[in-house]
Each structure stands twice: as C-alpha cells, then as structure tokens.
Amino acid sequence: LVSESLDRCSAAVYAARDMLFPMYWQHVFIPVLPEALIDYVAAPMPLLIGLHKSLEERARRIWGEELVLVDLDNDEMQVPPSLLNEDMLKIPHSIEESVMEGIKGIKKMYE
C-alpha cells in the first residue's frame, strides 16, 4: 500500500490485516517500510507493507510483474494480469466495493 501520508499508509496496512479476521496474516507485516530497508520487498514471500509514495517506483523495479499495489491517494488497486486467475475473477463485486469503500474511509480519516 502506498501513500504520501505515512499515517494513512500505516492505518491502511493495519486495516487490511484486520479485514482478514477470523484468519490471521502470517507473513511479513511492516506498517511503514523505511527507505533503508526497501530491499526487503525482494523477499520471496507474501508481504503486507506500507510504502511512502516516493518508494513506489523502486518497489516496482524490485518486484516486477508480481507487485499488487494499492495507491491510497488515488483510490486505485493495480493487479498484474499474470496474477489474475479464475478464483480472483470470481470475487463478488459487492465484496470488491466493500474493500474499496473501506480504503476510501481510511483516506478520509487522514485528510
């Protein structure tokens, strides 16, 4: 998740993790990744991290085609075509809308 606001970024990462309840995120979880640790995004495992907007392009170069990016400032989610499969396309539109509304709510809290 990326944003110009580190407060918004951190809140959104925690919210994304909490939306998994009753399941738990059991992989790398970093609410705001410091620039000095940007190479951590190259870890070969699922990541749930917040990035300042200025680090977005570096993260794209490191992850390449496998980066799923949520831009909190522009209300956009980018999923590479290589990661879209039948199961992902079956996510009900109502759930997709609910997730995006939650993200917009977080954004409003930090404006």
Side-chain angles (χ1 to χ4, degrees), residues 5-24:
S5 166
L6 294 180
D7 288 340
R8 180 183 307 150
C9 199
S10 177
V13 171
Y14 276 101
R17 182 199 63 186
D18 292 347
M19 287 190 321
L20 294 173
F21 184 81
M23 298 176 290
Y24 299 96

Side-chain angles (χ1 to χ4, degrees), residues 2-3 8-9 11-12 14 17-18 23 33 35-36 44 57-58 60 62 68 78-80 87 90 105-106 108 111:
V2 298
S3 176
R8 180 183 307 150
C9 199
Y14 276 101
R17 182 199 63 186
D18 292 347
M23 298 176 290
L33 185 72
E35 182 175 3
E57 286 308 313
R58 286 175 61 189
R60 284 180 190 277
I62 292 168
V68 175
Q78 301 165 12
V79 180
D87 292 336
K90 292 178 185 175
I106 292 168
K108 287 179 186 176
E111 288 180 340

Side-chain angles (χ1 to χ4, degrees), residues 15-53:
R17 182 199 63 186
D18 292 347
M19 287 190 321
L20 294 173
F21 184 81
M23 298 176 290
Y24 299 96
W25 183 256
Q26 301 203 13
H27 300 284
V28 176
F29 176 82
I30 306 172
V32 176
L33 185 72
E35 182 175 3
L37 302 177
I38 188 66
D39 290 334
Y40 276 47
V41 300
M45 61 191 72
L47 306 168
L48 182 53
I49 62 172
L51 287 175
H52 188 269
K53 185 80 167 171

Side-chain angles (χ1 to χ4, degrees), residues 58-98:
R58 286 175 61 189
R60 284 180 190 277
R61 283 194 302 271
I62 292 168
W63 262 93
E65 291 294 316
E66 296 182 2
L67 179 68
V68 175
L69 185 80
V70 177
D71 185 332
L72 301 168
D73 298 332
N74 297 312
D75 300 328
E76 294 177 355
M77 185 166 87
Q78 301 165 12
V79 180
S82 62
L83 296 180
L84 291 175
N85 59 39
E86 278 188 42
D87 292 336
M88 288 188 72
L89 297 174
K90 292 178 185 175
I91 295 173
H93 186 67
S94 60
I95 292 176
E96 180 184 347
E97 284 181 350
S98 176

